[in-house]
Amino acid sequence: MKSAASAMSHDDTQETGVPQIRDAIREAIVERRLSPGTKLSESDVGNLFNVSRTLARAALQALSYEGLVSVEKNRGAFVAYPSPEEARQIFAARRLVEPGILRDAAARVTPSDIQHLKQLLLEEGRLMSERGQTARRAEIKASGDFHLTLAAISGNAIMQRFMEELVARSSLVIALYGQSTVSSCGHSEHGDIIEAIESKELDRACHLMLHHIAHIEADLDLRERKSLGLKEAFEL
Amino acid sequence: MKSAASAMSHDDTQETGVPQIRDAIREAIVERRLSPGTKLSESDVGNLFNVSRTLARAALQALSYEGLVSVEKNRGAFVAYPSPEEARQIFAARRLVEPGILRDAAARVTPSDIQHLKQLLLEEGRLMSERGQTARRAEIKASGDFHLTLAAISGNAIMQRFMEELVARSSLVIALYGQSTVSSCGHSEHGDIIEAIESKELDRACHLMLHHIAHIEADLDLRERKSLGLKEAFEL
DNA sequence: AGAGGTCAAATTGTATACGATTTTCTGCAC
DNA sequence: GTGCAGAAAATCGTATACAATTTGACCTCT
C-alpha cells in the first residue's frame, strides 16, 4: 500500500500545533484522499508534519474521538472502517437530529443566511459540472457544507459540532458503501429545502430533509460482507 | 483552594491506562466532588494516579473533547465552567434529541428493559429518602442513568455516546446554576415516562420527556452574572 | 515442503528531559 | 505602604529515550 504520508498534502508553513495536523488529516479523510483502513503510523504522521510522535499521537487521538480514526491498542491508528451497522446508526442519528436542527435554524434564519445557502448551492452546482479529482473533492465538501451551514444557523454550537462529526463519518460511509458514482447528495434536494425554509413551510422542509437523508442512504449497499466465516468461504 | 487531587478517590490497583484516569476524573466531576473551575494540573493528576504527565495529559485532553474540562493554552486544564449560554445550548440539544431517542427506544423496548428501568426508578427513590453526601452523589448518578438507559435501549451507540456527554455536562450546569436543593430530576416524572412507554403511548411519552427536561431547566438561574461592571458593583 | 520456533525489525506505550510561558515572589525606588 | 521591575518557581509544550509488544523473516527439524 502506498505510504499514508504521500497521500496528504502539507503546506510548509511552520504553524505548529495539534489542531493543524488534526484538521489536515480530517480533511484528507473526508475528501477521500485517505481510504478507510489506511494505516496512520505515528512516525509517518510526525515526519510528514515535521513534529515529534507526541503531537502526531495527540492528533490521531483527537480524530479517534470523532470516529474518523480507530486506534487499536499496541497496533496503531487506522482510518476508520465503519461497519454496515455503524453506517446505519450514523444515518439514523442524522434522521433523528437534522429535522430538529432544521426547525431551530428556520426560526432564526436571516436573509443573509438564505443568501449564503444559495451561494453554497450555486458553488455546488458549478462543481458538479466540472470534471477531475479536485472538483470531485470540492464537491464532496460542498455538499456536506450545506448541512453544516444549517447547523451553524441554528445557533447551537453543541449540535453544530455533533453534525460535523456525523457529516464527516457519513463521508467515510459513502466512500465504503456508496454505489452510484454520482454525488453523494442530490443537489436539487438541497435547493428544495432552501425554498421551503424561505417560504416558512417548516413541516415541508423537515419532510424534504428526511427524504433527502433517506435518498443518500438508499444509494448505499449495506449488506453484511462477512469474511464468509472462514469455512463457508470454501465449502460449496 | 484544596488540592484537586485530594478530592478524588483512587483505588491502588495498578491498572494503568488513560481510560481509568479519564473515567475516574469524569465520575468525580459528574458526582460534583470536583467543582467547576477547579484546576487540574498535569503533575497533580499524574501523581495521583502514579503515572507520568504524558498519560495525565492524555486523559485531560480526552475530557476536554467531552466538554467536561477546558484546557487553556499554556495555562492548564480546569473543570469546565459552562456559561449560561452554553447551559442553554446543552438543554436545547437535549430537547432536540431525547424525544427522538425515546421513540427509537420505545420501538425496540423489551419487557426486560422495562424491568431494568423500573429497577433504576426504585433505586432512585431509595436514594432520595436517604441522607448524606454519598447518597446524594449516588442519586445524581441514578437520575442521569435513567436517560442514559433509554439511549442504550434505542440501540444507537452514537446517540448513546452523545447522550452521555449531554448528561455529564448537564450535571455541571446544575451544579453551577441549580437553585433548589432537591434532586435534579423529578423522580415521579421518570416513572410517568416509563408508564407511557409501557402502554405504548408514544406521543404522550415524548410530551412527558419534553416537559421533564423543561422542568429541570426551569430550576436553573441562567441570568448572566457579569463581574458587575466593576462600577455597578459599588454604586448601590 | 510444511510446521514450529527463535530472533530481528518495526511500531506503539510510557517516562523523562528540556525549553517556553506564565505566575509568583522579592526587593528596591518612591 | 505602594508600585513596578526582575528574578525565581511552577507549569505547560514538545522532543527524545527507553521499555513493551507486535510482525515478519529465517532457520531448523520432521
Side-chain angles (χ1 to χ4, degrees):
Chain A
M1 182 187 293
K2 192 168 64 166
S3 136
S6 65
M8 268 178 275
S9 69
H10 164 225
D11 62 326
D12 285 11
T13 58
Q14 280 300 69
E15 263 297 332
T16 177
V18 174
Q20 259 82 24
I21 303 173
R22 168 172 48 67
D23 293 347
I25 298 179
R26 178 176 33 229
E27 195 175 87
I29 293 176
V30 169
E31 292 184 4
R32 311 196 200 160
R33 303 200 300 274
L34 286 170
S35 316
T38 303
K39 169 111 196 237
L40 302 173
S41 95
E42 297 176 354
S43 317
D44 287 355
V45 173
N47 289 338
L48 183 56
F49 293 95
N50 292 107
V51 296
S52 72
R53 267 182 58 217
T54 307
L55 298 192
R57 187 184 177 87
L60 292 170
Q61 274 298 119
L63 290 167
S64 98
Y65 292 122
E66 301 179 23
L68 292 182
V69 158
S70 79
V71 304
E72 301 177 24
K73 177 163 165 119
N74 273 320
R75 294 208 0 119
F78 305 82
V79 178
Y81 197 109
S83 68
E85 176 56 22
E86 222 176 315
R88 269 185 283 268
Q89 294 186 359
I90 289 167
F91 279 93
R94 291 188 63 163
R95 279 194 302 272
L96 190 55
V97 302
E98 295 213 52
I101 288 173
L102 181 49
R103 282 200 140 76
D104 286 0
R108 307 178 22 131
V109 73
T110 68
S112 134
D113 289 330
I114 296 274
Q115 180 129 7
H116 184 195
L117 284 168
K118 287 184 174 172
Q119 191 74 26
L120 278 177
L121 197 68
L122 232 63
E123 175 74 358
E124 202 185 334
R126 191 179 64 71
L127 288 164
M128 269 179 61
S129 65
E130 262 185 51
R131 54 178 61 256
Q133 282 274 307
T134 316
R136 220 62 317 120
R137 287 171 185 164
E139 184 192 347
I140 293 170
K141 187 199 288 273
S143 110
D145 274 350
F146 172 77
H147 297 262
L148 294 181
T149 302
L150 279 181
I153 294 173
S154 85
N156 189 321
I158 293 166
M159 293 311 301
Q160 191 178 346
R161 204 165 62 83
F162 188 47
M163 273 303 299
E164 272 161 19
E165 178 181 325
L166 289 177
V167 166
R169 294 177 78 172
S170 295
S171 177
L172 262 181
V173 168
I174 294 169
L176 267 175
Y177 304 109
Q179 300 187 95
S180 77
T181 58
V182 304
S183 166
S184 46
C185 272
H187 171 67
S188 66
E189 296 177 0
H190 286 176
D192 295 343
I193 292 172
I194 296 178
E195 273 180 32
I197 294 174
E198 203 170 5
S199 56
K200 297 293 177 193
E201 302 173 87
L202 257 196
D203 289 333
R204 178 158 160 268
C206 286
H207 184 78
L208 286 172
M209 176 61 87
L210 283 175
H211 197 278
H212 173 49
I213 297 173
H215 198 266
I216 302 173
E217 203 174 354
D219 181 50
L220 305 176
D221 177 7
L222 292 180
R223 283 173 299 194
E224 290 283 354
R225 307 210 245 302
K226 303 190 159 180
S227 338
L228 272 184
L230 301 89
K231 301 180 181 177
E232 297 90 339
F234 294 94
E235 57 188 43
L236 167 86
Chain B
M1 180 186 295
K2 193 169 64 167
S3 136
S6 65
M8 267 177 275
S9 70
H10 165 223
D11 62 325
D12 285 14
T13 57
Q14 281 301 70
E15 263 297 332
T16 178
V18 173
Q20 261 82 22
I21 302 173
R22 168 172 48 66
D23 293 346
I25 299 179
R26 178 179 28 230
E27 195 175 88
I29 293 176
V30 169
E31 291 184 5
R32 310 194 200 164
R33 303 200 301 277
L34 285 170
S35 316
T38 303
K39 170 108 197 243
L40 302 172
S41 94
E42 298 176 353
S43 316
D44 286 355
V45 172
N47 289 338
L48 183 57
F49 293 95
N50 292 108
V51 296
S52 71
R53 266 182 58 218
T54 307
L55 298 191
R57 186 184 176 87
L60 291 171
Q61 274 299 119
L63 290 166
S64 98
Y65 293 123
E66 301 179 23
L68 291 181
V69 159
S70 79
V71 303
E72 302 177 22
K73 176 161 168 121
N74 274 318
R75 298 222 27 235
F78 305 82
V79 178
Y81 197 107
S83 67
E85 175 56 23
E86 222 175 316
R88 269 185 283 268
Q89 294 187 359
I90 289 168
F91 279 93
R94 290 188 64 164
R95 279 194 303 271
L96 190 56
V97 302
E98 294 213 52
I101 289 174
L102 180 50
R103 283 198 139 78
D104 288 358
R108 306 180 23 133
V109 73
T110 69
S112 134
D113 290 330
I114 296 275
Q115 179 132 5
H116 183 196
L117 284 169
K118 286 185 175 172
Q119 191 74 26
L120 279 178
L121 198 67
L122 232 62
E123 175 75 359
E124 201 184 336
R126 191 178 64 71
L127 288 164
M128 268 179 61
S129 65
E130 261 184 51
R131 54 179 60 257
Q133 282 272 307
T134 315
R136 219 61 320 121
R137 286 172 185 164
E139 184 193 347
I140 293 171
K141 187 199 287 275
S143 111
D145 274 350
F146 171 78
H147 297 262
L148 293 180
T149 302
L150 279 179
I153 293 172
S154 85
N156 190 320
I158 293 166
M159 293 311 303
Q160 191 178 346
R161 202 164 63 83
F162 188 47
M163 273 304 298
E164 273 161 18
E165 178 182 324
L166 289 178
V167 167
R169 295 177 77 171
S170 295
S171 177
L172 263 182
V173 168
I174 295 168
L176 267 175
Y177 303 109
Q179 301 186 95
S180 77
T181 59
V182 306
S183 165
S184 47
C185 272
H187 172 68
S188 67
E189 296 178 0
H190 286 175
D192 295 343
I193 292 172
I194 295 178
E195 273 181 30
I197 294 174
E198 202 170 7
S199 56
K200 297 292 179 193
E201 302 172 85
L202 257 197
D203 289 333
R204 179 159 160 269
C206 286
H207 184 78
L208 286 172
M209 177 62 86
L210 283 175
H211 198 278
H212 172 51
I213 297 173
H215 198 267
I216 301 173
E217 204 175 352
D219 182 49
L220 305 176
D221 177 8
L222 292 180
R223 283 171 301 191
E224 291 282 354
R225 304 210 246 305
K226 302 193 161 181
S227 334
L228 268 186
L230 301 89
K231 300 178 181 177
E232 298 90 336
F234 293 94
E235 50 187 47
L236 181 65

